[in-house]
Amino acid sequence: MASHAAHSGTSGTSRRRIIFDEALPVDHRLNRIYRIGAGLMGLFLLAFGILGLTNNIGFFDTGGNSAIGLNTNGALSVLSICVGLLLFVGMVIGGNFASTLNMVLGVLFILNGFLFLGLLDTQSDFLAFKIQNVLFSFVVGLVLMVFGMYGRVSTNLPHDNPYWRARHPEAEQRAEPEAQVR
């Protein structure tokens, strides 16, 4: 699943870097979690974007149009559709890609929430955010991060988990001679 590579730095010290395979096995149980997270959030963002575009509002209009209880304009609707489609691509590809995509987009949603929290009720609020949009951005960011980190970040991962094996190569090396003896 994963392999380690030792790279020597410029100062002559070596550091280990984890290199993950392209994807988890097709039937790996974590793959389903990553796909579900990406698919659900992608579906909601796609629905929000489409409903926002059907209101025929201006691209950068800040007049207070809403869809699904959230303030929107044309730019936010198009952006939501693009991110929703990107999450659907992650759902289709699955594996490490979907997990990493969920985590990266989760962090971006949280940063976006903080950015627009500072821009509320200013001329620079070009996506027409209101406080409910900021809270929604925080919630979606946290949900995406949880789906992306599930089975990847924990102190008690099972020993067959590829992320546990990548962090504990010595245990895997000890298991190889024992398997050859059997």
Side-chain angles (χ1 to χ4, degrees), residues 20-95:
F20 291 108
D21 290 340
E22 288 296 315
L24 293 170
V26 175
D27 61 344
H28 198 279
R29 66 183 185 273
L30 292 175
N31 195 15
R32 186 176 312 126
I33 301 296
Y34 305 146
R35 287 174 182 245
I36 289 171
L40 287 176
M41 290 296 110
L43 179 66
F44 187 83
L45 289 172
L46 199 59
F48 171 71
I50 290 171
L51 288 173
L53 283 180
T54 58
N55 286 341
N56 294 329
I57 54 179
F59 202 70
F60 291 113
D61 184 26
T62 58
N65 297 311
S66 66
I68 314 177
L70 299 170
N71 210 39
T72 188
N73 63 13
L76 182 59
S77 296
V78 169
L79 186 63
S80 296
I81 290 172
C82 292
V83 173
L85 290 174
L86 183 62
L87 284 167
F88 272 128
V89 168
M91 180 187 72
V92 169
I93 294 173

Side-chain angles (χ1 to χ4, degrees), residues 98-116:
S99 172
T100 304
L101 180 69
N102 285 345
M103 286 191 293
V104 168
L105 287 177
V107 169
L108 290 176
F109 266 95
I110 289 174
L111 291 175
N112 182 57
F114 280 119
L115 172 70
F116 280 96

